[in-house]
Amino acid sequence: MARKGILNTNISPKGDAPQRQRLMPQGAVGALQSSLNRMQENAVQEIDTALIDNAGFEDRLGLDAVEQERLKESLKTYGQQVPVLLRPHPTSRGRFEIVYGRRRLAALRDLGLPVKAMVRQLDDHALVMAQGQENNTRTDLSFIEKASFAAQLQNAGYDRPTIAAALAIDLPMVSRMLKVGTAFEMDFLREIGRAPSIGRERWMMLVDLFADQAARGRAKIYMRRPEFTSLATDARFEAVLLAAQNKHRTTAPAPKAPARKAAIQSPDGAAIATVKATDKGLSLSVKTPGFDRWIEENASELMNEWFARWQSDQSTDQSE
């Protein structure tokens, strides 16, 4: 009887069977689906770079060509070690949007290689937080890139506590960053570039200068010069600052006259000395021992002879 009682505990009455069949599979399926979702979000997939669009906000003011070439060489040699983060495109089925890892994506796109990525379901707020937190782990973002990122978040309607959380900074720092980030148009910042060596104080100096429309105009005129684009990003900032301060040359410096050289030879053609004349003066390099002493001893006679010839030339010019 005991054995029969044990067996009977595993057998539900006929009327209860449908209810148990409904509840248990639903709970199991839900747990399994949640587990599968977590596994999929942490799984690394290879995705065609042509299927990936930009998303979020611009956290880099251009890509440094030299650094990008180094990254491509590293990816070719060692492969992609760190995956990027994507989210499914909200409106285009089968496509994705980049959350972070733009440099790696651009390099792999140039190399014609697929990108290794994690794909997560993120709404716009979660995307901003993920992008901001990733930025905080990187030490190569410049001050103006962070300030510009903060300004973009504010323009998109995010409040200051959210911006502070996204950048892991306090509210006073948010205010300081926004004062700089909102003072310049994105096109202007893209032309300057990352300026990694330029800190907040120098950018604040430019903010104050740009309050004067004349200073702003001088800077923008200078940025149209052909030589501006050939400057490195830090040098571009410095050039714009000088233009705003009106410290650039208004005219090009007069070209320097080329140095003139002449050889003094003996009757047999041997080089005795070399004369070099520039705007700053004349130098005599003596190769034959004793010739320098002879010049010293006869300097007065040589000067008198030159002066007499010069006076004669002057008289001739006046008579003509």
Side-chain angles (χ1 to χ4, degrees):
M1 290 296 293
R3 179 176 297 178
K4 184 175 180 181
I6 292 172
L7 291 173
N8 285 342
T9 60
N10 293 325
I11 301 173
S12 299
K14 185 175 181 181
D16 293 341
Q19 183 179 4
R20 292 181 63 84
Q21 288 173 357
R22 284 196 306 269
L23 293 177
M24 293 185 64
Q26 285 181 353
V29 168
L32 179 60
Q33 185 63 51
S34 178
S35 177
L36 288 173
N37 288 340
R38 285 196 299 271
M39 289 176 61
Q40 184 178 16
E41 287 186 347
N42 293 320
V44 176
Q45 309 174 43
E46 283 198 347
I47 296 174
D48 186 348
T49 58
L51 298 175
I52 303 171
D53 300 319
N54 284 330
F57 298 91
E58 193 170 343
D59 57 358
R60 284 190 180 274
L61 296 172
L63 298 177
D64 184 279
V66 175
E67 291 180 3
Q68 206 60 13
E69 283 302 316
R70 287 178 185 155
L71 178 58
K72 285 199 284 188
E73 286 300 318
S74 174
L75 289 169
K76 278 197 294 187
T77 305
Y78 304 106
Q80 182 188 351
Q81 302 298 316
V82 181
V84 305
L85 180 62
L86 308 177
R87 74 171 181 177
H89 199 290
T91 58
S92 298
R93 187 176 180 83
R95 297 189 64 81
F96 303 88
E97 289 184 331
I98 182 76
V99 178
Y100 59 71
R102 285 168 169 76
R103 282 189 62 212
R104 278 163 283 166
L105 176 62
L108 290 164
R109 192 170 272 156
D110 288 345
L111 293 170
L113 298 173
V115 63
K116 293 178 181 177
M118 294 183 294
V119 180
R120 292 182 182 166
Q121 296 285 346
L122 301 173
D123 60 20
D124 290 344
H125 185 273
L127 182 148
V128 165
M129 299 302 291
Q131 189 178 6
Q133 289 165 11
E134 168 67 11
N135 288 342
N136 288 328
T137 65
R138 288 153 44 187
T139 59
D140 64 333
L141 279 184
S142 64
F143 169 79
I144 193 58
E145 285 177 315
K146 293 178 182 178
S148 171
F149 186 71
Q152 291 176 71
L153 294 183
Q154 178 172 268
N155 291 339
Y158 291 95
D159 59 22
R160 294 196 175 194
T162 300
I163 297 171
L167 293 173
I169 56 178
D170 57 26
L171 288 174
M173 180 56 73
V174 170
S175 297
R176 289 191 284 270
M177 282 191 170
L178 287 175
K179 187 170 183 180
V180 175
T182 57
F184 306 103
E185 301 89 351
M186 282 300 299
D187 287 343
F188 171 83
L189 294 180
R190 290 188 193 105
E191 287 190 69
I192 296 291
R194 301 180 55 240
S197 299
I198 310 301
R200 185 176 69 88
E201 290 185 6
R202 302 279 284 166
W203 277 104
M204 279 301 304
M205 188 185 301
L206 193 60
V207 169
D208 294 339
L209 286 166
F210 269 33
D212 177 11
Q213 290 300 319
R216 184 185 292 261
R218 285 193 300 270
K220 292 191 174 181
I221 289 172
Y222 186 84
M223 292 171 74
R224 298 192 198 110
R225 291 190 179 186
E227 64 267 24
F228 179 77
T229 56
S230 65
L231 298 174
T233 176
D234 286 332
R236 290 183 189 182
F237 174 88
E238 297 292 355
V240 165
L241 183 65
L242 287 174
Q245 293 171 325
N246 203 20
K247 291 185 178 180
H248 278 299
R249 288 179 179 269
T250 55
T251 58
K256 294 182 179 180
R260 302 182 304 280
K261 286 185 179 181
I264 300 175
Q265 296 178 331
S266 65
D268 61 358
I272 298 175
T274 301
V275 178
K276 181 180 179 182
T278 67
D279 292 339
K280 295 183 179 179
L282 181 143
S283 63
L284 178 67
S285 176
V286 177
K287 298 181 179 180
T288 300
F291 185 55
D292 55 339
R293 192 178 303 112
W294 181 88
I295 292 175
E296 236 180 280
E297 293 170 352
N298 294 277
S300 296
E301 292 182 17
L302 289 170
M303 193 265 302
N304 290 335
E305 183 180 344
W306 173 85
F307 188 68
R309 184 175 298 177
W310 179 80
Q311 283 184 317
S312 175
D313 291 341
Q314 291 292 101
S315 299
T316 302
D317 290 342
Q318 290 175 5
S319 63
E320 292 177 352

